[in-house]
Amino acid sequence: VLQSKFSSPVKKGDAIYGLSDGGLECIDAKTGESNWKDKRNQNKGFGYGHGQILLSDDLILVLTEFGELVLVEANPDTQKELGRIEALNKGPRSKGGVKTWNYPAM
């Protein structure tokens, strides 16, 4: 459960959110059990990779490993992605674009 590599998890109430082996996961802080985990393909336009996350009120801001900025509702019951944009320009990196592990700032 919650295998964070480059990012630090965030806590809201009794829920802990983190990027776990490339997918967003929510665990129950009291039991340590997973509430849900994103199991989508870990590629640009789908998953998050080993990006970074920030929490602001009831929203999670994710800067994906692929340079996309994603807004996710901090909901312990279900994953709800509210929007996704390409924040960093595509680079040549074997035509797959940029790779970033930098923290976004608000």
Side-chain angles (χ1 to χ4, degrees):
V1 176
L2 201 54
Q3 299 173 337
S4 296
K5 291 189 178 186
F6 299 117
S7 68
S8 298
V10 295
K11 185 174 184 287
K12 171 91 174 152
D14 290 331
I16 298 173
Y17 303 88
L19 291 174
S20 180
D21 200 25
L24 187 61
E25 184 171 12
C26 175
I27 64 170
D28 186 304
K30 290 182 179 179
T31 66
E33 294 181 16
S34 181
N35 290 339
W36 52 260
K37 183 173 182 182
D38 178 44
K39 296 183 192 270
R40 291 179 292 174
N41 184 334
Q42 294 304 309
N43 290 318
K44 183 176 172 62
F46 298 99
Y48 304 95
H50 300 291
Q52 303 298 335
I53 65 174
L54 294 174
L55 178 69
S56 178
D57 296 323
D58 292 332
L59 300 172
I60 298 169
L61 184 66
V62 182
L63 178 59
T64 74
E65 179 176 357
F66 318 109
E68 296 170 306
L69 200 57
V70 184
L71 194 60
V72 180
E73 185 178 291
N75 184 333
D77 299 320
T78 186
Q79 179 184 0
K80 184 174 182 184
E81 194 171 292
L82 302 173
R84 178 184 290 253
I85 62 167
E86 186 172 337
L88 301 175
N89 293 331
K90 286 177 75 171
R93 194 177 196 301
S94 301
K95 298 183 182 177
V98 299
K99 186 175 218 175
T100 181
W101 297 319
N102 300 327
Y103 271 93
M106 287 194 293

